[in-house]
Amino acid sequence: MKKIENIRINYNLNSISKKEFSSSPIKQFKNWFNDVVDALIEPTAMTLSTYSQDYGVQNRIVLLKEIKQSGFVFYTNYNSTKGQQIALNNNVSLSFFWPKFQRQIRINGIANKISTKDSVSYFKKRPRKSQLAAWVSSQSQIIKNREILDCKFLEIEKKFKNKEIKKPNFWGGYLVKPSTVEFWQGRENRMHDRLIYQKKNNKWILNRLSP
Ligand SMILES: Cc1cc2nc3c(=O)[nH]c(=O)nc-3n(C[C@H](O)[C@H](O)[C@H](O)COP(=O)(O)O)c2cc1C
């Protein structure tokens, strides 16, 4: 096996400066997202960290589904572990790593459920089998085996045959309203660029951080 400590790449693709950055982190996020969207396999994949009473902090990947003026939207099962954790403490963080571009974005914010109307509107756009899967999966619950899941899928598929699949009440979106957004661009000799937006008196302030 390759020695882990010898794995090392050079970061030297680009640099960033406050001058060229937007006054809005959302606008800046969109600029970076546009740079990468066609070049990456899963550019919307982001790590979501939540506070867990049992483990301190827990994270997992979810998919970014909308960038609103007010924040970042993802969808999930509201009864899942993450849903239960957010119900108790809605301070969350998101992070993206786009290695091909040597870029990272980190977001801290508050997660709140979006309106049922908006969740329904997105649910309707999902492929039918993904809609069924939302009904089938009691996300994060222990199950005895795979067969139980597959049987339930067939059962639910039968139930909704030739019918519109309604959005389950336990499934929907969260909006993460950011309080900080940090953009990281890898630079040579580990002298990376970091620019952070922080909200002060309802205005975004942009600062450079030491790498
Ligand atoms: C690429 C990728 C995309 C995923 N997208 C989502 C998603 O959008 N929503 C979701 O609930 N889970 C998604 N998952 C599954 C989660 O990582 C996680 O396993 C699941 O949500 C249960 O997490 P929890 O038990 O902490 O609630 C994704 C996983 C991967 C690897």
Side-chain angles (χ1 to χ4, degrees):
M1 190 180 126
K2 203 165 175 176
K3 279 205 156 175
I4 288 176
E5 72 259 33
N6 291 341
I7 299 174
R8 174 171 299 276
I9 68 156
N10 248 348
Y11 294 93
N12 54 10
L13 286 183
N14 222 325
S15 63
I16 54 174
S17 69
K18 279 169 69 173
K19 268 201 320 260
E20 81 207 24
F21 262 41
S22 168
S23 54
S24 148
I26 298 287
K27 176 76 186 17
Q28 188 57 46
F29 183 93
K30 285 183 178 169
N31 291 344
W32 269 28
F33 192 77
N34 274 336
D35 290 344
V36 307
V37 65
D38 292 326
L40 302 181
I41 291 172
E42 196 69 293
T44 61
M46 55 186 186
T47 302
L48 163 73
S49 301
T50 49
Y51 178 69
S52 154
Q53 284 192 320
D54 297 328
Y55 304 108
V57 176
Q58 262 188 327
N59 60 41
R60 76 291 284 156
I61 302 285
V62 292
L63 298 179
L64 175 67
K65 284 294 167 188
E66 195 182 347
I67 309 164
K68 285 180 181 277
Q69 239 353 78
S70 48
F72 305 88
V73 177
F74 67 91
Y75 290 87
T76 193
N77 183 314
Y78 288 141
N79 297 334
S80 64
T81 297
K82 78 182 87 46
Q84 293 181 32
Q85 290 169 353
I86 291 169
L88 291 176
N89 184 338
N90 64 353
N91 288 286
V92 301
S93 76
L94 302 171
S95 70
F96 295 82
F97 176 43
W98 295 321
K100 197 170 174 185
F101 291 76
Q102 301 182 347
R103 285 176 172 177
Q104 170 184 244
I105 302 177
R106 297 165 66 192
I107 296 159
N108 285 314
I110 300 288
N112 280 300
K113 287 181 185 173
I114 63 171
S115 69
T116 303
K117 185 170 154 271
D118 285 354
S119 287
V120 167
S121 155
Y122 172 69
F123 189 79
K124 283 188 175 161
K125 295 181 194 147
R126 303 183 85 209
R128 196 172 163 84
K129 294 207 166 166
S130 304
Q131 294 177 338
L132 290 172
W135 278 103
V136 172
S137 173
S138 303
Q139 196 177 47
S140 315
Q141 298 298 309
I142 290 174
I143 45 174
K144 261 214 173 108
N145 53 47
R146 172 78 206 189
E147 287 65 40
I148 292 176
L149 204 62
D150 293 339
C151 279
K152 197 166 165 201
F153 191 95
L154 295 175
E155 222 173 83
I156 302 267
E157 194 172 34
K158 217 161 137 192
K159 185 176 153 198
F160 283 108
K161 199 169 177 204
N162 301 324
K163 288 191 197 132
E164 184 196 353
I165 304 168
K166 292 242 151 47
K167 180 191 81 61
N169 286 336
F170 56 79
W171 190 97
Y174 286 99
L175 172 81
V176 178
K177 198 174 168 191
S179 49
T180 73
V181 185
E182 185 203 316
F183 293 82
W184 182 100
Q185 178 74 56
R187 296 288 304 272
E188 217 137 7
N189 307 319
R190 304 302 191 247
M191 296 283 282
H192 312 300
D193 283 334
R194 297 175 64 190
L195 295 178
I196 186 166
Y197 293 87
Q198 289 165 303
K199 231 180 190 164
K200 296 240 165 82
N201 301 325
N202 236 14
K203 272 182 69 179
W204 287 110
I205 311 289
L206 182 60
N207 280 305
R208 179 174 284 271
L209 295 176
S210 177

